[in-house]
Each structure stands twice: as structure tokens, then as C-alpha cells.
Amino acid sequence: QVQLVESGGGLVQAGGSLRLSCTVSAAYAVAWFRQAPGQEREFVASMSRSGTITYYADAVKGRFTISRDRPKNTVYLQMNSLKPEDTAVYYCAADPGTMVTMRSPYWGQGTQVTVSS
């Protein structure tokens, strides 16, 4: 059983920064998704299993950065220049394949990010 646990969410003012962390118990491909109330879960950022390929949603490109610390089994999402529309529950996910997809088997419980205006 691969386990994922997110942390680092909270309340921040628009324009501020926040860093989310996710412990991952396997060296799989990783990604971040988010879901606002009443909306579908959407892709945010991903990193291939090798760590050589990354993708970002257009809405966060240039503001968010996904990274990982392999010795600590942790993946991060650095969020800068936060906007109220970034408010959502953020989830990390992992997949034994090359990249994470919506059908990936492993997901964390989520951490709330709220950006005030």
C-alpha cells in the first residue's frame, strides 16, 4: 500500500506564497490536483517518475513549481503570487507509470488552501 499525506495548507492573502508538502512512500510519478466546492477536480502540476519531465496547468504556469526531495520521500508544490481563484482543496497523487493521470491509484486526503482578497 502506497500512502500519501499532504500538509502545508492554510489561509493566505492574495499575492502571498505557500508551500505544500506531500510524503510519498514510493518513488513513483507524482502530481498535484485541486478541487473547489461544487467543482470538478482539476490538474495543477505533475512530474514524471524520472523527474525529468514536468507539466503545469495554464492557470498556474509561472506561479507554481513542483519539486521533490527523494531522500525525504516528499513532493512539494511551491505556490507564489496566489489569487483568490486558487482557493481549493489540494491533493497529491502518485502512479507507478510514467505520469500521473486521473485514474492513478494513489491519492492523498487533501489540504485546504484559502486565498483571501
Side-chain angles (χ1 to χ4, degrees), residues 9-11 21-22 28 34-35 46 73-74 81 84 88 97 102-103 106:
L11 175 64
S21 299
C22 176
Y28 291 169
R34 66 187 183 186
Q35 186 169 26
S46 65
N73 296 317
T74 302
S81 301
M102 289 296 291
R103 297 184 182 276
Y106 306 113

Side-chain angles (χ1 to χ4, degrees), residues 48-86:
S48 65
R49 189 174 64 248
S50 67
T52 60
I53 304 172
T54 58
Y55 291 98
Y56 295 93
D58 289 342
V60 307
K61 194 172 300 181
R63 299 189 297 121
F64 291 11
T65 303
I66 185 171
S67 63
R68 78 193 309 168
D69 185 327
R70 294 184 183 276
K72 295 182 178 180
N73 296 317
T74 302
V75 58
Y76 302 99
L77 183 67
Q78 178 66 47
M79 305 184 292
N80 298 324
S81 301
L82 284 163
K83 306 174 181 179
E85 51 262 46
D86 294 319

